[in-house]
Amino acid sequence: MPFKEFTLDDIAKHNKEGDLWIVIDSKVYDLSRFADLHPGGAGVLYTDSVAGKDATQVFFGLHRLEVLQRPQYARLQIGAIRGQTENIKPLGPGELSLVPYAEPTWLTPGYFSPYYSDNHRKFHKAMRAFLMEFVQPEAVRCEENGKKISQEVVDKLSEINFLAMRLGPGKHLKGLTLMGGIVKPEEYDYFHELILNTEIARFGTRAFVDGLLNGGVIALPPIINFGTPEQRAKFVPDILAGKKYISLAISEAFAGSDVNGAQTVAVRDGDEWVVTGTKKWITNGTFSDYFTTLCKTDAGFVVLLVERSDAVSTKPVKTSYSSTAGTAFVTFDKARVPVANTLGQVGKGISIIFSNFNHERWMVTASSLGAQRLVVEECLKWTNQRIAFGKPLHAQAVIRAKLAAMIARVEASQAWVENITHQMNNMSYDEQSDKLAGPIGLLKQFVSKAGRETAQDATQIFGGRGITVTGMGKIVENYHRTSPFDAILAGAEDVLGDLGVRQAIKRMPKNARL
């Protein structure tokens, strides 16, 4: 049933207590009964710039568009203004933002890239549509309530083989239908995965990004790359299908970036290992069924696949982001692990873990890039609609300078990420391990530092709203509070920068002179 049409003169007659109409973006709302329920108080609605007026500018100075889309507020609409059309609309599933720099260059009309094919574009559109429809509502809920991602959404993700795609190209994709068949397993490459990793960061829900089966992304590769055929057949299918969950258990209170300092011990007892020790800050640990665990033995380090049991307990670690990530403190109390669950050779545990770091660090960097671009978009929108001193906020030179720095950082990060991704596409796993550890370390350091600088600038631009968990600045607040995770997870950024320089020094020609 179409809405009734009114004129602005009609609206002006309803401007007092008990009879209050306003216009927002051509739509007419009757707030007569709602006024006393308004979270900001009824007085705000009776001001001369709101009551009986077109309050579009005032509304969007205080609220996000999503407020009007909530059922309890949408039902307050009683009509529309004759001759006017709605101008402010949310993006539909799969649509691109028209805000400058909100999308990377390769998605911007009129621009080009040597890295992406038509298949990448089809994959991107389908992935964004899928995530907006099925994952974004869950992301917002879980980020707020701290609960684990629901099995219903995990099952939906499994239908497109989401976790398998997050592991990048490889033999684990053989025989799977990816994204409804849009891309064949043999065609899937690291740019497809880059698209996926940047898209999941577009909701402004940093902890949920890690809760989105990140444990599997970082804990499955040791099984796939170093496990026996029997181990892969036993464990991998159920984890990829979302029936079982897994975490990577390396970090301890004793050892973070210093992996060699791990104190968890595995002692051989016949056909079993007896594992004793603790792990801390383990992503997805609170709900994992398996733990890919680094242990110390008399013969050096070993990686074991430890199954949850009465001897394996977990408890949440409260951090500065939402508990939806499942961050855990894990205790192994003489846990018995079959020797058949040994991944690779005893004494080679450190090399197994180190070979796993490149992809993990690249993945964290890609998601950070996606989040930073979202923050840039938020700031460009806000400075366009926020009126201060009688002008849009971007009329201030100091604001434009901050925007310029933010844009420069995200575009530089994008270029470097794409360059490294191109190298990954053209190198074997062994070549990546040999050549890219240093460059990826430097890349992660650069992008994570850029992110914190952007978070600081964005908070200044949003002011008080940038430190408020809800409302206009909620995405900026979330990013400002959680951006340090990108600097710490998968290796502290200063350690990684040093790794990059040390690798460069090692490869210096001995006769290099000025």
Side-chain angles (χ1 to χ4, degrees):
M1 181 177 177
F3 282 110
K4 185 177 180 181
E5 292 189 336
F6 299 95
T7 65
L8 290 175
D9 288 338
D10 294 330
I11 308 305
K13 299 174 184 177
H14 303 272
N15 63 353
K16 55 185 179 294
E17 188 173 346
D19 183 17
L20 179 64
W21 293 8
I22 66 170
V23 178
I24 302 175
D25 192 25
S26 79
K27 299 176 181 178
V28 179
Y29 295 87
D30 184 350
L31 306 185
S32 303
R33 295 183 179 180
F34 169 75
D36 290 335
L37 302 175
H38 184 244
V44 176
L45 302 176
Y46 294 125
T47 59
D48 290 341
S49 60
V50 175
K53 301 287 179 57
D54 186 332
T56 302
Q57 183 171 303
V58 176
F59 177 86
F60 284 108
L62 300 168
H63 300 291
R64 301 178 70 91
L65 175 60
E66 65 194 49
V67 171
L68 294 178
Q69 297 172 304
R70 295 173 186 166
Q72 66 267 38
Y73 303 132
R75 67 188 181 192
L76 298 177
Q77 184 183 357
I78 60 171
I81 296 298
R82 185 177 299 122
Q84 291 189 7
T85 57
E86 180 183 7
N87 290 315
I88 305 169
K89 299 178 181 179
L91 288 180
E95 287 186 356
L96 298 175
S97 173
L98 298 180
V99 175
Y101 301 104
E103 306 286 1
T105 303
W106 73 276
L107 289 172
T108 305
Y111 288 79
F112 306 92
S113 169
Y115 299 126
Y116 300 91
S117 66
D118 287 341
N119 185 261
H120 289 119
R121 297 178 188 279
K122 292 177 182 177
F123 179 82
H124 173 269
K125 185 174 183 178
M127 180 58 70
R128 178 172 289 188
F130 176 89
L131 292 173
M132 290 177 69
E133 183 175 357
F134 298 110
V135 181
Q136 184 171 7
E138 178 84 348
V140 173
R141 282 194 298 269
C142 290
E143 190 79 9
E144 292 178 355
N145 63 31
K147 294 183 179 179
K148 165 190 170 292
I149 183 174
S150 68
Q151 190 60 45
E152 180 183 0
V153 173
V154 171
D155 291 342
K156 198 70 183 177
L157 291 166
S158 298
E159 290 178 9
I160 64 168
N161 285 298
F162 177 81
L163 179 54
M165 290 191 289
R166 291 203 66 192
L167 296 172
K171 56 191 175 184
H172 62 283
L173 298 179
K174 186 176 180 180
L176 300 181
T177 301
L178 308 181
M179 203 66 231
I182 285 179
V183 56
K184 297 177 181 178
E186 61 271 21
E187 295 174 340
Y188 188 85
D189 64 17
Y190 286 109
F191 280 103
H192 288 98
E193 189 191 354
L194 175 61
I195 291 167
L196 195 162
N197 285 326
T198 54
E199 285 299 308
I200 61 176
R202 287 184 53 82
F203 306 142
T205 52
R206 178 62 183 85
F208 184 82
V209 170
D210 285 351
L212 198 58
L213 312 183
N214 258 23
V217 179
I218 59 181
L220 268 175
I223 305 176
I224 293 172
N225 295 315
F226 298 96
T228 64
E230 293 77 18
Q231 289 170 336
R232 292 196 293 269
K234 180 179 179 180
F235 298 109
V236 174
D238 278 353
I239 296 172
L240 290 182
K243 297 177 181 178
K244 295 287 186 177
Y245 301 99
I246 189 170
S247 293
L248 182 66
I250 300 176
S251 296
E252 301 179 3
F254 306 99
S257 296
D258 177 18
V259 177
N260 284 285
Q263 299 296 305
T264 297
V265 174
V267 178
R268 183 73 178 264
D269 183 17
D271 292 333
E272 294 180 316
W273 292 100
V274 180
V275 179
T276 303
T278 59
K279 299 291 182 177
K280 194 172 185 181
W281 304 292
I282 305 306
T283 301
N284 297 179
T286 59
F287 55 83
S288 282
D289 301 290
Y290 307 117
F291 300 86
T292 301
T293 308
L294 180 69
C295 303
K296 186 164 64 172
T297 75
D298 290 339
F301 284 95
V302 66
V303 178
L304 302 177
L305 185 59
V306 182
E307 301 182 50
R308 187 183 283 271
S309 67
D310 291 341
V312 180
S313 61
T314 60
K315 60 182 180 180
V317 175
K318 191 173 184 178
T319 69
S320 56
Y321 73 0
S322 171
S323 58
T324 187
T327 309
F329 184 87
V330 185
T331 300
F332 303 102
D333 185 12
K334 298 179 181 178
R336 290 193 166 270
V337 181
V339 170
N341 284 18
T342 305
L343 300 175
Q345 299 178 26
V346 177
K348 299 289 186 180
I350 294 296
S351 62
I352 291 173
I353 293 304
F354 277 10
S355 71
N356 194 45
F357 276 148
N358 279 352
H359 181 265
E360 179 182 358
R361 290 165 179 166
W362 172 82
M363 176 267 293
V364 171
T365 302
S367 294
S368 175
L369 174 62
Q372 288 179 48
R373 195 172 286 282
L374 174 64
V375 170
V376 170
E377 179 181 12
E378 290 282 301
C379 289
L380 286 167
K381 286 179 178 178
W382 176 242
T383 58
N384 189 56
Q385 71 191 67
R386 173 64 167 169
I387 304 300
F389 307 104
K391 299 177 181 179
L393 199 56
H394 56 51
Q396 306 296 327
V398 66
I399 297 297
R400 295 196 301 273
K402 289 184 183 297
L403 292 172
M406 294 167 69
I407 292 168
R409 285 191 290 263
V410 77
E411 290 299 321
S413 296
Q414 182 84 35
W416 198 354
V417 167
E418 289 180 343
N419 178 280
I420 291 293
T421 304
H422 181 64
Q423 307 313 314
M424 292 167 65
N425 260 355
N426 289 278
M427 291 183 184
S428 68
Y429 188 85
D430 289 340
E431 287 176 319
Q432 291 180 37
S433 298
D434 177 54
K435 297 179 179 179
L436 292 184
I440 288 177
L442 289 167
L443 170 67
K444 184 175 182 292
Q445 180 192 50
F446 178 83
V447 175
S448 62
K449 280 189 174 181
R452 292 201 311 288
E453 291 172 6
T454 288
Q456 180 66 25
D457 283 343
T459 303
Q460 291 292 322
I461 287 173
F462 272 80
R465 291 169 173 83
I467 55 172
T468 304
V469 175
T470 59
M472 299 296 290
K474 67 177 185 177
I475 288 176
V476 168
E477 186 281 330
N478 185 287
Y479 187 67
H480 184 262
R481 173 165 43 85
T482 63
S483 57
F485 283 81
D486 296 332
I488 295 169
L489 297 180
E493 64 182 24
D494 289 334
V495 174
L496 298 185
D498 181 65
L499 167 66
V501 173
R502 283 190 289 110
Q503 189 178 84
I505 291 172
K506 185 178 179 180
R507 298 185 180 215
M508 282 278 288
K510 291 184 179 180
N511 63 348
R513 297 292 186 275
L514 292 175

